[in-house]
Amino acid sequence: MSSAYRVPIAKLRRDLPASTELNLSALFDEGKTFEPKGKAETDIAWDAPIDLAIRIESYSGGLRVKGSLRAPWRGTCRRCSSPIDGLSEIALNERFVDPEDLDEESYLIDQDYIDLAPMVHDAVFLDLPLAPLCSATCKGLCPYCGIDRNEATCECQGEADPRWATLNSLSFDNEEPAPGAE
Ligand SMILES: [Zn+2]
Ligand SMILES: [Zn+2]
């Protein structure tokens, strides 16, 4: 199976220590190995390439891959529900080892190749925002009439609906807890 993420490393390991630079721009997972798990609202942009700029270094116990990647993603603003195109920029520093040395924090050297796809998959999916915002100042939708408060204003005021009060007290990782919230 050929893939842009499959990199020959025999020469690197023969001429120990050695290193090589690799710049790669390729669609992720054309072979559909990593099917999305469930319907996450935020997902990698499967039709746009991931850019990878790495350095592969050989040492006696294996290979080290250092560098960075840029992965486009798509999501939905949790306040106003508008679509968002985002970009994850992620630093990489990972080990690749022979099968007998494989542990939970390393990736596999498959004879004369390494497959960068599992490393890229882990990095990207860990970094995807769970509850993205279209902007830090997004005003969201009016809970009464549904108007997009970023684009228009409405006359809705009045008593806070207790159902929405509960929602408003929910806090997210990247936000200060609402007053009175646990
Ligand atoms: Zn928004
Ligand atoms: Zn309204």
Side-chain angles (χ1 to χ4, degrees), residues 61-166:
L63 299 162
R64 185 162 286 279
V65 173
K66 291 182 190 171
S68 62
L69 69 79
R70 292 154 57 91
W73 54 262
R74 299 210 173 96
T76 302
C77 176
R78 72 171 147 85
R79 287 189 196 149
C80 73
S81 300
S82 62
I84 311 173
D85 286 316
L87 185 67
S88 281
E89 305 198 55
I90 306 168
L92 300 168
N93 186 352
E94 302 295 342
R95 275 183 310 131
F96 283 73
V97 296
D98 291 311
E100 60 272 23
D101 297 326
L102 194 64
D103 59 29
E104 286 178 357
E105 288 170 4
S106 56
Y107 294 94
L108 185 66
I109 297 175
D110 182 9
Q111 297 182 28
D112 292 337
Y113 290 86
I114 54 174
D115 183 0
L116 299 172
M119 175 192 74
V120 170
H121 175 272
D122 291 349
V124 169
F125 280 81
L126 272 175
D127 194 71
L128 286 178
L130 292 176
L133 292 175
C134 65
S135 102
T137 57
C138 175
K139 299 192 188 90
L141 304 180
C142 171
Y144 304 102
C145 70
I147 205 169
D148 185 342
R149 288 163 164 169
N150 299 302
E151 293 174 352
T153 50
C154 57
E155 300 300 320
C156 305
Q157 289 287 337
E159 300 301 308
D161 183 318
R163 287 171 299 172
W164 290 99
T166 306

